[in-house]
Amino acid sequence: MEKELLVYIDGKYYPKSQAKISVYDHGLLYGDGVFEGIRAYNGVVFKLREHIDRLYRSARVIMLEIPLTKEEMINAVLETLRKNNLHDAYIRLIVTRGVGDLGLDPRKCPKPTVIIITDVIKLHSKEAKERGIRALIVWVKRDPVDATSHEVKSLNYMNSILGKIEANVAGFDEAICLDKNGHISEGIAENIFIVKNGKIITPPTSTGALVGITRDVIMKLAEKLGYKAVEANITPTDLFTADEAFFTGTAAEVVPIVEVNKRKIGDGKPGPITKRLMQEFEKIVRDPKEGTPIY
Ligand code: PXG
């Protein structure tokens, strides 16, 4: 029998089938907690420090005191990967408010729960990347920055799930969310970019979009390749009439969007700048200088 993957919970390692937490954990009862989705490529955890920094920033906003220092957290992630002998992995780091009572007051939760899952990655279909995906702008608005904003990577993902359900039932590959002013915000777990007249544009985080780590990598990469990359509001019309569009994210990497609400983007095929960024991104994630070695 194949050995089960081990999961870190509060400093101990449990086989996947026995990795369980209390039903009184406020992460489950109220979605009270923060998380990160991280990837390792070829023995190097891509942008690990940036993900750890964002985790601690998210925790600060929700006044959750993580019981490990950043260095201890980094070591715990690397140790979990080593215990599982993983080189290419998907890492899910979760810190919940911890076990409390059946009221939502966080003061009743004395000890946060720290969970590190390291698993093999399910690769996105190569076909979707080659052909591009068809997206739907959905009715559910991105939570604004003065609500459960995605500026904080919290366990509260109902906003994204409603978007995904809408795309699913309508038969589209992915959802695109607007902010309350009608500007494009992001996908459900991806940031969005358009290309117009050679310029690369992504919505500002004031639309409720996550400060994506892949987004940042792509902005810098675009500038390095000689393109102008800016943050600016994007209307649905801007998107429909863009030359190219694509999503970015840890899980998604860079994925071309070739159709939005049945309108073809450009000629309905992945555009040249998108393809260039996809190729260069593939090199960056495998560059040991861009991450933290596991072994
Ligand atoms: N927006 C939202 C709302 C996200 O949740 C991104 C943008 C892209 O951010 P990064 O930093 O990854 O470039 C995310 C990321 C998953 C999963 O398993 C979700 C994310 C990342 C990794 C895995 O659904 N969300």
Side-chain angles (χ1 to χ4, degrees), residues 35-39 51 54 90-92 142 150 153 157 160 186-192 208-216 248-253:
F35 79 102
E36 280 297 320
I38 314 170
R39 272 174 84 156
H51 281 282
R54 187 171 65 187
Y90 178 64
I91 303 152
R92 173 62 60 91
R142 205 63 178 149
H150 284 272
K153 206 161 161 57
Y157 259 56
S160 283
E186 59 176 345
I188 57 156
E190 309 92 3
N191 290 107
I192 193 168
L210 182 75
V211 198
I213 286 164
T214 319
R215 172 184 185 269
D216 189 51
T248 66
T250 297
E253 300 179 310

Side-chain angles (χ1 to χ4, degrees), residues 58-241:
S58 296
R60 179 182 284 256
V61 178
I62 71 163
M63 297 183 86
L64 174 66
E65 187 107 22
I66 300 180
L68 300 172
T69 64
K70 285 188 188 178
E71 286 311 311
E72 287 168 342
M73 187 64 91
I74 287 171
N75 288 333
V77 169
L78 298 174
E79 185 57 23
T80 309
L81 287 161
R82 288 194 284 258
K83 281 213 186 296
N84 290 310
N85 196 24
L86 289 167
H87 291 75
D88 291 86
Y90 178 64
I91 303 152
R92 173 62 60 91
L93 185 44
I94 307 157
V95 185
T96 78
R97 189 75 64 182
V99 175
D101 63 15
L102 290 180
L104 57 77
D105 189 346
R107 289 175 302 187
K108 301 285 171 60
C109 308
K111 191 169 130 315
T113 306
V114 180
I115 302 166
I116 305 168
I117 306 170
T118 60
D119 212 325
V120 289
I121 19 166
K122 277 188 256 99
L123 288 174
H124 269 248
S125 104
K126 214 167 148 232
E127 244 181 28
K129 291 212 154 168
E130 273 164 19
R131 256 196 285 132
I133 60 171
R134 294 159 22 259
L136 178 71
I137 300 176
V138 294
W139 64 267
V140 58
K141 297 290 174 281
R142 205 63 178 149
D143 284 326
V145 289
D146 52 355
T148 48
S149 162
H150 284 272
E151 284 178 301
V152 169
K153 206 161 161 57
S154 84
L155 293 178
N156 193 323
Y157 259 56
M158 192 45 69
N159 189 256
S160 283
I161 291 164
L162 284 173
K164 184 67 183 171
I165 288 170
E166 216 45 38
N168 287 351
V169 295
F172 287 77
D173 302 315
E174 198 54 288
I176 294 171
C177 308
L178 301 176
D179 73 3
K180 64 179 176 193
N181 299 315
H183 292 126
I184 306 288
S185 176
E186 59 176 345
I188 57 156
E190 309 92 3
N191 290 107
I192 193 168
F193 285 78
I194 63 169
V195 180
K196 217 162 199 164
N197 302 322
K199 198 156 117 190
I200 295 167
I201 311 167
T202 194
T205 56
S206 56
T207 60
L210 182 75
V211 198
I213 286 164
T214 319
R215 172 184 185 269
D216 189 51
V217 170
I218 290 296
M219 296 282 274
K220 290 191 177 122
L221 173 63
E223 291 277 352
K224 206 177 121 208
L225 296 177
Y227 302 111
K228 203 166 166 44
V230 296
E231 268 186 26
N233 278 324
I234 298 170
T235 65
T237 299
D238 292 331
L239 176 56
F240 294 144
T241 58

Side-chain angles (χ1 to χ4, degrees), residues 230-271:
V230 296
E231 268 186 26
N233 278 324
I234 298 170
T235 65
T237 299
D238 292 331
L239 176 56
F240 294 144
T241 58
D243 302 323
E244 303 179 30
F246 58 88
F247 282 130
T248 66
T250 297
E253 300 179 310
V254 182
V255 179
I257 304 168
V258 293
E259 210 182 280
V260 177
N261 293 46
K262 299 279 183 190
R263 280 92 166 160
K264 272 198 176 101
I265 304 302
D267 62 2
K269 297 200 184 88

Side-chain angles (χ1 to χ4, degrees), residues 24-36:
Y24 282 84
D25 194 300
H26 280 208
L28 172 69
L29 290 175
Y30 303 110
D32 186 0
V34 293
F35 79 102
E36 280 297 320

